[in-house]
Amino acid sequence: FIFATAMKMMNAGNSRLHFVILICGALLSNNSCCGLSTSTCILKSSSFIPRSPTYASLVGHTPNSFASSSNSMPTSTSLQVFPNDNYDDRQRGNGGSGRSSGSTNNDQIIARNNARLCVKSFLTQRSIQSFSYLLAECRDPHSGKWIEDFLGLQNLGNYHGTGAFDVSRYPTWDSVLLDMMRQPNDKMIVSAKRRGRGHGGWSKNNPYLEERWVEFPIDIRPASLVQRLLPVRQQLALEFQKDLQIVKIVDSMIMDSYFTKVKEDPESDHAFDRISVAILSNFTEFQESGSSPFRRGNFDLLYNLCTQASTHRLLREFKAEGKVREVSFLWLRRFYGERVKDFFDGDQPFGKADDFIDALLRTPPSLIDMDGGRSVGLTDPLMMAERIISIRSEIADEWIELMGEVKEDHLRLNDVLMRVMMGKALESDFESSVDPPPVDDVFGAFE
């Protein structure tokens, strides 16, 4: 029927292009081609040897955009909390011979935490996750499987969290992409089951006939994958700029909502109205262009990462002010450290950023012992919540500027890509042009 219809179109004066389009459309609308059932295609073997996963197995929340799966998901790179008070940037010097080994370890942890909170690295993570989803939608799950094996992260698409990559292995946002480019072309062997048990469609219900499988190779070109991934990363950067504007809008409304609830509805389940997702939905509904597949999930995680970064910055400020804020510093460090795994690390449900602020607002003032019990200090959680919200807006402004740099960041990567695809790349081309996050950045080793 398809062939006859196409021939009629050609006899009526249509070009051969219409014939090709019709045939391709028919094949794509069917789940089988040449007797092969694509729903039963499996990866049988690959010449690529995946690296050992560096993350523990985890079964947790799965966003609605993904189907549930029993496969293991990556856990986020954990941040560390120091038990001591050595957080002052002025005490670390500039790396002279007089620095102690403890201070060096302190610097390493601070640099690691800064890399963990880097918004450009988070952008790379979500770009890879979105790209894997698009590959599956375009009937190329094999490339997505290769990426997961290369990263040592299984079921990456189902992971809803920040810090999926090992920052010790990939300390900068472009290091994972450069490492992928460095890989040689690969080949996967896919085994697909033919339709029916019988031969030519006969005796398909005969239990004595074995299922028939056919194997065919699929080429994997890592440099080409990176080339296709960069436009996805560019689109997400533009969306992040708009989403960070929404973060600022939400921040300007939270405290008003909190005080209104205290007066009118003190028994409410939430300390303030959760309006971030509603504002995002209204914004995306009237925008001219479409959104990426995981726009809502990206916004939630960006909101979460911005909240975490603002908490780090506030701790740095408290420490820099010395004795004046010592009570606030000790209390917030303990409050934050006890809740890192519940609100920020690993696979998380939606809305954890608001839950953290909510928990802080609902915590009453308290007295804590100082100087070994010789004195006491009064904490003010409400003031800390207000400062975290205010700092979060400042960080949002900074990150908006960083997202504006993404297009320029891709220029060097495209230059390396051209060299790789022409077979002229040098080892020096794969060195990251981005300096690792400094140890004296605005964030600290509190997590």
Side-chain angles (χ1 to χ4, degrees):
F1 172 77
I2 297 174
F3 182 78
T5 304
M7 292 302 296
K8 290 180 181 179
M9 293 175 60
M10 293 182 63
N11 293 334
N14 292 282
S15 65
R16 292 185 179 182
L17 178 61
H18 292 92
F19 173 75
V20 175
I21 293 175
L22 179 63
I23 295 297
C24 293
L27 294 178
L28 290 175
S29 63
N30 196 350
N31 285 336
S32 61
C33 180
C34 302
L36 301 180
S37 175
T38 57
S39 62
T40 56
C41 288
I42 62 172
L43 175 65
K44 188 170 183 180
S45 63
S46 171
S47 59
F48 175 78
I49 301 177
R51 303 174 183 176
S52 300
T54 56
Y55 302 94
S57 299
L58 169 68
V59 177
H61 171 76
T62 301
N64 296 330
S65 304
F66 297 99
S68 299
S69 174
S70 60
N71 296 332
S72 62
M73 288 183 288
T75 60
S76 67
T77 303
S78 299
L79 303 184
Q80 300 184 19
V81 181
F82 276 164
N84 53 46
D85 294 340
N86 186 21
Y87 303 109
D88 195 345
D89 293 334
R90 296 170 296 180
Q91 296 178 2
R92 290 199 297 269
N94 53 10
S97 59
R99 177 182 292 187
S100 65
S101 60
S103 179
T104 301
N105 184 53
N106 184 19
D107 292 343
Q108 292 174 351
I109 294 178
I110 293 176
R112 185 172 181 268
N113 289 353
N114 293 341
R116 165 67 171 77
L117 296 172
C118 176
V119 67
K120 287 188 176 182
S121 295
F122 170 70
L123 174 64
T124 301
Q125 172 196 323
R126 294 302 290 179
S127 300
I128 292 177
Q129 290 180 275
S130 299
F131 182 59
S132 297
Y133 171 82
L134 295 174
L135 288 173
E137 288 292 298
C138 296
R139 301 197 176 191
D140 185 17
H142 322 96
S143 297
K145 179 65 168 62
W146 184 93
I147 292 176
E148 288 186 349
D149 291 342
F150 165 73
L151 295 173
L153 304 173
Q154 300 305 313
N155 203 19
L156 181 61
N158 283 345
Y159 177 67
H160 183 76
T162 60
F165 299 152
D166 184 358
V167 296
S168 299
R169 179 180 171 190
Y170 300 122
T172 59
W173 66 265
D174 61 346
S175 53
V176 60
L177 302 178
L178 293 171
D179 193 18
M180 191 181 299
M181 276 188 252
R182 189 185 290 111
Q183 304 306 311
N185 292 341
D186 201 357
K187 191 181 295 293
M188 280 185 169
I189 305 301
V190 177
S191 181
K193 185 176 71 172
R194 297 183 66 89
R195 291 183 298 172
R197 292 177 178 271
H199 299 277
W202 296 97
S203 302
K204 61 181 180 180
N205 295 323
N206 190 334
Y208 297 99
L209 293 178
E210 297 181 355
E211 294 181 344
R212 296 179 299 160
W213 296 76
V214 61
E215 296 181 354
F216 54 92
I218 293 181
D219 293 327
I220 302 294
R221 296 180 174 85
S224 177
L225 293 178
V226 175
Q227 184 183 37
R228 295 157 59 190
L229 190 149
L230 290 182
V232 178
R233 191 172 185 273
Q234 174 66 30
Q235 179 186 357
L236 293 189
L238 296 176
E239 292 182 354
F240 278 16
Q241 284 184 304
K242 299 174 183 178
D243 293 347
L244 289 167
Q245 293 286 357
I246 297 177
V247 171
K248 294 174 58 180
I249 295 174
V250 172
D251 287 343
S252 65
M253 303 171 68
I254 287 179
M255 295 310 300
D256 290 340
S257 174
Y258 167 73
F259 289 119
T260 300
K261 279 190 172 292
V262 169
K263 295 178 182 178
E264 301 177 359
D265 190 11
E267 302 298 327
S268 175
D269 294 335
H270 300 297
F272 58 91
D273 293 327
R274 308 300 177 89
I275 57 177
S276 56
V277 176
I279 295 178
L280 176 66
S281 300
N282 293 333
F283 177 81
T284 55
E285 184 176 356
F286 297 101
Q287 68 179 6
E288 297 179 358
S289 58
S291 298
S292 59
F294 308 132
R295 180 70 179 274
R296 180 171 175 264
N298 291 340
F299 172 79
D300 180 75
L301 292 177
L302 183 65
Y303 191 41
N304 185 283
L305 186 67
C306 198
T307 304
Q308 191 175 22
S310 62
T311 305
H312 271 241
R313 183 171 295 188
L314 181 59
L315 285 167
R316 299 300 303 170
E317 289 184 1
F318 283 166
K319 183 59 183 179
E321 294 180 13
K323 285 289 185 180
V324 178
R325 292 294 186 183
E326 184 178 6
V327 175
S328 298
F329 170 77
L330 295 175
W331 185 90
L332 181 58
R333 185 184 63 175
R334 184 178 62 183
F335 179 89
Y336 174 59
E338 292 173 349
R339 291 163 177 79
V340 168
K341 294 183 179 180
D342 295 332
F343 293 98
F344 300 108
D345 273 359
D347 192 58
Q348 297 286 348
F350 282 82
K352 280 298 184 178
D354 283 337
D355 289 344
F356 178 76
I357 299 297
D358 192 293
L360 191 56
L361 288 172
R362 288 177 177 271
T363 303
S366 60
L367 298 173
I368 63 173
D369 291 333
M370 301 290 297
D371 299 328
R374 291 189 294 270
S375 62
V376 295
L378 179 64
T379 64
D380 189 357
L382 178 61
M383 176 274 296
M384 299 178 195
E386 288 183 294
R387 284 293 298 140
I388 289 176
I389 294 171
S390 176
I391 294 173
R392 186 167 61 185
S393 295
E394 298 174 5
I395 293 177
D397 282 328
E398 297 171 7
W399 286 3
I400 289 174
E401 295 183 4
L402 291 177
M403 292 299 98
E405 300 173 357
V406 169
K407 186 175 182 179
E408 185 176 347
D409 291 340
H410 290 173
L411 292 178
R412 180 180 179 275
L413 285 180
N414 282 318
D415 179 63
V416 177
L417 272 171
M418 291 298 296
R419 293 174 179 271
V420 170
M421 301 177 80
M422 294 175 63
K424 298 180 179 180
L426 303 175
E427 186 63 28
S428 59
D429 292 331
F430 296 107
E431 296 178 359
S432 174
S433 60
V434 183
D435 294 330
V439 296
D440 57 349
D441 203 352
V442 293
F443 309 129
F446 305 100
E447 184 177 351

